[in-house]
Amino acid sequence: MSGTGSPQPLDGRWSPLVTVLAFALPAIFVLAPLAIFLVYSFFSVDQGQIVYAPTLANYARFFADPVFLPVFWRTIVLCLSVAAISILLAYPTAYFLTTLEGRWRYALLMLLMVPLLMSYVIKIYAIRSILGLNGFLNKALVALGIITEPSTLFVFNMNAILLTLTLLLIPFAILPIFLALERIPQVLLRASDDLGATGLQTFLRITLPLSLPGVASAASFVFVLAIGDFLTPQMVGGISGFTFGRILYSQFGTAFNWPFGAALSVALAVVVILAILAGERFGRNRGTSH
């Protein structure tokens, strides 16, 4: 028997097992919990006890109650705004990084990723101390004469949630855009320059279109992280900053209504899946069209 032919039967035997193992963990830790939530959403609660009888009452309540659906749409708009602002801030930063040479490019990138290693709660408290009544922002605005007294515009409301989520999630937007910009062949940029195009023309016709898949990935990534966050609204939103994540948290916590919370989770999961599919489809279409 030749040495080159002996591994072939072994590969053939183990490849199905490797495939099963590759899909087992996502199925167990992602699909199985989603399936359990879906099943639970058709149950109900009676006097603190879960009634395991199929019903559509939870979904009917979600669509009929005047509270849940408006908060749901308002949260979607909020998270879309977070994604848009994050992209507007992350793109120039990522573009600047790609213009650097040598080790400085990756050194600065690592510095921008350092906040991801910090405690999420500590970062929220730090941002809240900046936006608070006696925070740095209010003190700076008063010192500059822009306002006469500290303002509550950026604390314990939807504005505070918007700013805090944006600051927390910007690193998640910078990285995909940076990778997309870095993968643009330099020969295309040099060819554009040789043909007499200005820097702005090169950016609009080559750099921007080829980086749009990274922008789409960053936008969907930030949106998904923002819409599933309940801790940030809880800590900086106050009474005025009530989001869908806080409703979910209350249903599984104080209300102890797991079936209704599961139904709300299913509605949220549908939006998350649609956002991921939209980002992936847009990125693929832009990538193949160029």
Side-chain angles (χ1 to χ4, degrees):
M1 295 179 62
S2 62
T4 56
S6 57
Q8 296 300 324
L10 183 62
D11 291 343
R13 280 200 312 268
W14 286 99
S15 59
L17 179 59
V18 172
T19 303
V20 170
L21 291 176
F23 286 96
L25 291 179
I28 293 174
F29 293 105
V30 178
L31 296 181
L34 289 176
I36 293 173
F37 270 95
L38 181 61
V39 173
Y40 258 81
S41 68
F42 293 105
F43 299 151
S44 60
V45 171
D46 184 21
Q47 296 181 354
Q49 299 295 323
I50 297 178
V51 179
Y52 297 96
T55 177
L56 294 174
N58 294 319
Y59 292 99
R61 180 185 176 188
F62 169 65
F63 286 104
D65 195 290
V67 173
F68 300 112
L69 205 56
V71 174
F72 183 66
W73 292 121
R74 187 166 67 244
T75 302
I76 291 177
V77 173
L78 170 70
C79 296
L80 287 174
S81 302
V82 171
I85 297 174
S86 297
I87 294 301
L88 290 176
L89 296 176
Y91 197 99
T93 304
Y95 183 82
F96 170 74
L97 289 175
T98 58
T99 62
L100 300 177
E101 299 292 339
R103 67 180 65 179
W104 285 107
R105 174 185 298 188
Y106 300 102
L108 290 179
L109 179 63
M110 290 301 298
L111 287 177
L112 290 173
M113 297 298 114
V114 165
L116 299 180
L117 304 177
M118 298 173 59
S119 169
Y120 199 76
V121 176
I122 292 177
K123 288 188 290 186
I124 294 177
Y125 272 117
I127 295 173
R128 194 169 75 171
S129 67
I130 295 174
L131 302 178
L133 282 175
N134 297 315
F136 172 78
L137 180 60
N138 266 312
K139 290 181 178 179
L141 293 176
V142 171
L144 293 173
I146 298 176
I147 58 177
T148 57
E149 59 182 11
S151 172
T152 59
L153 182 62
F154 303 113
V155 64
F156 298 129
N157 50 38
M158 296 299 286
N159 294 328
I161 299 174
L162 175 66
L163 290 174
T164 304
L165 284 175
T166 301
L167 292 173
L168 290 174
L169 299 178
I170 278 181
F172 293 99
I174 292 176
L175 189 57
I177 297 175
F178 171 80
L179 294 176
L181 289 170
E182 196 178 40
R183 290 171 183 168
I184 297 177
Q186 293 298 310
V187 63
L188 295 178
L189 304 180
R190 289 194 293 268
S192 176
D193 184 62
D194 292 340
L195 292 173
T198 63
L200 179 61
Q201 290 174 327
T202 300
F203 175 79
L204 294 177
R205 296 180 181 180
I206 298 178
T207 304
L208 182 60
L210 291 179
S211 64
L212 287 181
V215 172
S217 299
S220 61
F221 200 18
V222 170
F223 176 82
V224 168
L225 291 174
I227 202 170
D229 192 327
F230 72 90
L231 184 59
T232 300
Q234 188 80 13
M235 296 183 65
V236 303
I239 299 177
S240 302
F242 207 74
T243 62
F244 199 69
R246 294 179 69 177
I247 294 179
L248 277 173
Y249 174 76
S250 66
Q251 294 303 314
F252 287 105
T254 55
F256 194 68
N257 193 340
W258 282 42
F260 186 58
L264 298 182
S265 299
V266 170
L268 189 65
V270 170
V271 175
V272 168
I273 293 172
L274 290 176
I276 294 174
L277 292 177
E280 191 274 336
R281 181 178 180 84
F282 179 83
R284 185 177 65 248
N285 289 342
R286 299 301 300 184
T288 55
S289 62
H290 293 88

